[in-house]
Amino acid sequence: MKPIGPIPAGYIAQDGELAIGGKTASELVEMAGRTPCFVYSKAHLDQRVAELRAAMPERLGINYAVKANPFGPVIGHMAGLVDGFDIASAGELAMLETAGIDPARVSFAGPGKRDEELEAAIAAGVTLNCESEGEARRALAIGERTGTAPRIAIRVNPDFELKGSGMKMGGGAKPFGVDAERVPALARDVIAAGAEWRGLHIFTGSQALNADAIIEAQANVLDCADRLAREIGAALPKLNMGGGFGIPYFAGDEPLDISAVGAVLKERFADLPASLTETDLCIELGRYLVGEAGVYLTRIIDRKQSHGVTYLITDGGLHHQLAASGNFGTVVRRNYPVAIASRFDAQPEEEANVVGCLCTPLDRLADAAHLPRADVGDLVAVFCAGAYGASASPANFLGHGPAAELLV
Ligand SMILES: *Cc1c(COP(=O)(O)O)cnc(C)c1O
């Protein structure tokens, strides 16, 4: 038997089935029109943001990193909850524009921005978090050619990292950002060239569950920003402090203590250095905001035994849930939280392997999981599916097509 990850709070049984937004899993599948489907919950999104706002200093802006879940209705719902949006491509910009989001609320990070992407962002009035001197030069040239002063912030590659984070994105040689010691010279050039100076972006990592690690990274970010602002010799209109707030995916993971993070940040904000007193401060979060608000529902198509092992074979798989299959940046595969959604209040009574329908041994949704007895036709739920699910999985692989998506 292998443990399964912790089912996020707020998922209840109704008529014996998993229910989301007052609808049972079978009703949700009917609404979606098919399995597999992703179901995202507005109530979860609302509650998550409300709890975060209550914990954090009032002054702290909360941005949503669209790459975690770019489903149109999710973006539209987040528009009423968050202050800003962070994008990483012109494609994501187009999605925000379709959702009617004011580009003044948007900043654009990501290495390798093409000229067409820079041009679209500058024309729209999006803030560019420039990742290199070369990119800043190209943005300035496009601004000159098109007669629009680009809004430029500089993404800093800091000299520190977010400890214990799943993906390190700062410290040492990186394709992201401008090495901290070169930032002041570049900032002065950008300001002198007539760009609209928007400040700094310092992102140090992702998926951290340890409050002390986040507290330390945030302290380092504020110190680094203060030092750089003084060296630049101009105030920072804005400081994007990064994010990195994680969610529990695996057995033994504990939720991040946001009240501890918020308490320290409130103290820091009460005593900011002169360089930051007028600065618009924000964090940018992806999975923390949307990850636990999503569930992936897939139907059992076959139940079989092989050498004494029970396989529950579903119509879903890694083509929608690459991360849950263990193939998205993990070294050792562990089980995500899963359940038999159509028997959500039943007691576990057997050990089973839940697999997808793809013809590859990589397509596993749960290994040796202790589950209620399930049969053909039952629904399996994979939790923590609100972030890096549909959009971060190879939907074209093997021709099964994308999953349906639904916001309720
Ligand atoms: C991916 C990314 C995020 C979001 O990361 P999460 O772990 O989903 O919170 C935020 N900012 C930047 C710059 C990113 O690359």
Side-chain angles (χ1 to χ4, degrees):
M1 207 101 75
K2 293 189 181 159
I4 53 182
I7 293 176
Y11 289 99
I12 52 156
Q14 186 177 310
D15 302 331
E17 294 191 37
L18 170 68
I20 303 169
K23 299 265 189 295
T24 63
S26 331
E27 288 169 338
L28 292 163
V29 165
E30 203 160 302
M31 285 166 73
R34 65 180 195 272
T35 51
C37 60
F38 286 90
V39 181
Y40 311 118
S41 156
K42 287 182 194 170
H44 275 79
L45 296 172
D46 294 349
Q47 192 179 346
R48 180 48 64 112
V49 176
E51 285 169 5
L52 189 64
R53 292 230 187 249
M56 295 296 142
E58 210 172 312
R59 165 168 176 186
L60 183 71
I62 293 172
N63 287 6
Y64 174 48
V66 172
K67 80 171 192 269
N69 186 335
F71 182 50
V74 168
I75 290 175
H77 192 73
M78 295 306 282
L81 298 177
V82 299
D83 301 295
F85 289 85
D86 292 299
I87 56 168
S89 69
E92 288 184 347
L93 173 57
M95 293 173 193
L96 292 186
E97 286 178 327
T98 303
I101 286 158
D102 179 0
R105 295 170 74 187
V106 180
S107 55
F108 182 3
K113 299 182 190 76
R114 288 167 289 155
D115 281 352
E116 307 88 85
E117 294 184 294
L118 292 172
E119 188 163 344
I122 291 167
V126 163
T127 292
L128 299 169
N129 293 336
C130 282
E131 305 265 354
S132 73
E133 286 94 346
E135 184 182 302
R137 263 198 309 277
R138 286 190 292 127
L140 290 168
I142 290 167
E144 197 141 307
R145 176 163 57 73
T146 60
T148 311
R151 295 181 162 161
I152 294 185
I154 297 174
R155 178 165 178 183
V156 181
N157 174 26
D159 300 323
F160 49 88
E161 62 187 20
L162 174 54
K163 291 194 183 123
S165 79
M167 290 192 198
K168 296 188 185 357
M169 292 178 72
K174 289 284 179 298
F176 311 109
V178 176
D179 293 350
E181 66 271 16
R182 297 209 309 270
V183 166
L186 177 59
R188 286 192 294 263
D189 286 352
V190 160
I191 294 167
E196 185 181 327
W197 173 231
R198 298 298 300 144
L200 300 174
H201 173 212
I202 310 180
F203 183 77
T204 55
S206 256
Q207 182 49 22
L209 292 173
N210 182 326
D212 291 334
I214 299 228
I215 289 167
E216 185 189 307
Q218 290 183 333
N220 285 333
V221 163
L222 290 170
D223 292 344
C224 172
D226 171 44
R227 199 172 59 243
L228 291 174
R230 283 186 284 116
E231 284 178 42
I232 293 165
L236 297 182
K238 187 159 179 163
L239 171 63
N240 178 333
M241 299 175 57
F245 293 21
I247 59 172
Y249 288 103
F250 306 117
D253 284 356
E254 294 289 337
L256 173 66
D257 182 356
I258 53 162
S259 59
V261 174
V264 175
L265 210 50
K266 282 175 187 167
E267 281 172 30
R268 275 310 292 264
F269 279 19
D271 188 25
L272 284 172
S275 67
L276 297 176
T277 46
E278 301 296 316
T279 301
D280 191 358
L281 297 153
C282 71
I283 53 173
E284 55 174 349
L285 303 175
R287 75 187 74 219
Y288 188 81
L289 299 181
V290 296
E292 294 185 0
V295 174
Y296 176 66
L297 293 174
T298 174
R299 197 179 292 285
I300 297 174
I301 297 297
D302 200 359
R303 176 187 166 97
K304 62 190 262 191
Q305 307 285 324
S306 172
H307 293 283
V309 174
T310 299
Y311 284 89
L312 303 174
I313 299 176
T314 68
D315 61 4
L318 73 75
H319 53 311
H320 307 143
Q321 267 298 345
L322 190 64
S325 78
N327 293 292
F328 191 56
T330 31
V331 181
V332 179
R333 189 193 177 286
R334 288 179 290 167
N335 288 329
Y336 264 43
V338 296
I340 305 299
S342 43
R343 301 172 191 264
F344 197 54
D345 59 359
Q347 290 304 312
E349 56 175 285
E350 68 173 10
E351 182 179 317
N353 286 355
V354 184
V355 299
C357 56
L358 302 191
C359 204
T360 157
L362 298 177
D363 195 9
R364 299 185 282 172
L365 293 176
D367 283 344
H370 196 206
L371 295 170
R373 191 194 148 92
D375 267 306
V376 170
D378 272 314
L379 296 168
V380 171
V382 180
F383 296 88
C384 298
Y388 307 111
S391 70
S393 302
N396 288 334
F397 187 36
L398 273 157
H400 293 283
E405 292 180 276
L406 189 66
L407 175 71
V408 294

